Amino acid sequence: MDTSLSNGALPIEATMTIVLSTMFAILIGMHSVQSPSDKTTSRRDSQSNTTTAWPIQLPDPRTEPTKYCYEVFCWKYTVVWIGIFGFIVVSKSYEYFTAWSYIFVCGGLALPLMLQPIIYPQAYPIEVDGKKALLNPDVSRTFSERYSTKVTLYLLTYSFIGNYWYTHYFYSVLKAKYTMPSHRLNDVPIAMFLATHFYFCTYHVCVSNSILRFVDTRYKAGWRKGVLFWYTVLFLSYFTAFMETLTISSFPYYSFEDRTVAYVWGSAFYGIYFLVSFPGFYYFDSNVDGKKHKSLSLWDAFTTACGHAMMILTLLDFVRLYLGIPLVINGVAFAVTS
């Protein structure tokens, strides 16, 4: 890779400020030329006659109770895992971690999301005036038919493929490396397979779904809305990738050869993941509460995740080929590093 860009006159902070500010300004400009949707007006009018109110970025609990319950649960759990993870990073508790510590911490934080479809299918009670008003339809569904089960399988599959395959593109293209003690599968810390699950759950359920739904429900259909929707996907993909790279930069055991390349171009490279998965997840089982809904099977959820993952893998490899960088995979089935 040509790293001459990292030797430019502007410091990385100024470069990223310019890049993100420009992208955000374009996004605001696109919003300013949209026409409000009639559905937005009717939704606001209907709220005036009920004691139940919700932010527009959440699903309507009357028409999409399943998604509403699950997404509120994820929002609340996101606060929990970020608080715990943030404390570990700020306090530098990781300096005392062993390979097993990483497994226990990351596995422990991923476990509530994995077990929720089994032990708490309600996910979140919808209440009016302090009384339960609506059950999550997942409660009356079999385990395999629950929306949360299919979402969990989708994200677990996607997280596994991303770590098992895509990490090696970061090793080869961006010269990234993990140096903490770890149990490794194919030279990728197993703890990262677990951590990716709760990270991706927040990215897709809380960040992407909320913002894409805002665009989808607020504005009138047409080409301008279509352009805004896909530009929002592009912006969210880059911004999400950059913010993860930035926030993890204080963790010394995940490093890049060149910080500027990692921030500016690495964010774009990582953002390829989300160019596919953000819209894919937004439309995943989109009519789960529809009257004529044909429930997706677990096999459908699994193959959908595999299909999205293959699209991402192909795009990553196109970039690698364009840069002329060989893909090197030296991993073994299992190893423990200290």
Side-chain angles (χ1 to χ4, degrees), residues 183-233:
H183 299 87
R184 295 180 178 241
L185 173 64
N186 193 27
D187 198 29
V188 180
I190 293 175
M192 295 301 100
F193 287 82
L194 300 168
T196 301
H197 182 66
F198 52 83
Y199 264 88
F200 277 16
C201 185
T202 294
Y203 293 166
H204 291 80
V205 177
C206 302
V207 178
S208 173
N209 267 15
S210 296
I211 296 175
L212 293 181
R213 185 178 295 111
F214 178 87
V215 173
D216 201 17
T217 59
R218 186 176 182 86
Y219 301 121
K220 185 175 295 185
W223 70 267
R224 287 181 298 182
K225 175 182 169 180
V227 172
L228 172 62
F229 183 91
W230 287 105
Y231 182 79
T232 302
V233 170

Side-chain angles (χ1 to χ4, degrees), residues 43 47 53-61 68 72 75 213-214 217:
R43 181 172 179 175
Q47 286 190 45
W54 56 90
I56 194 171
Q57 71 271 12
L58 287 174
D60 187 328
Y68 176 84
V72 173
W75 270 105
R213 185 178 295 111
F214 178 87
T217 59

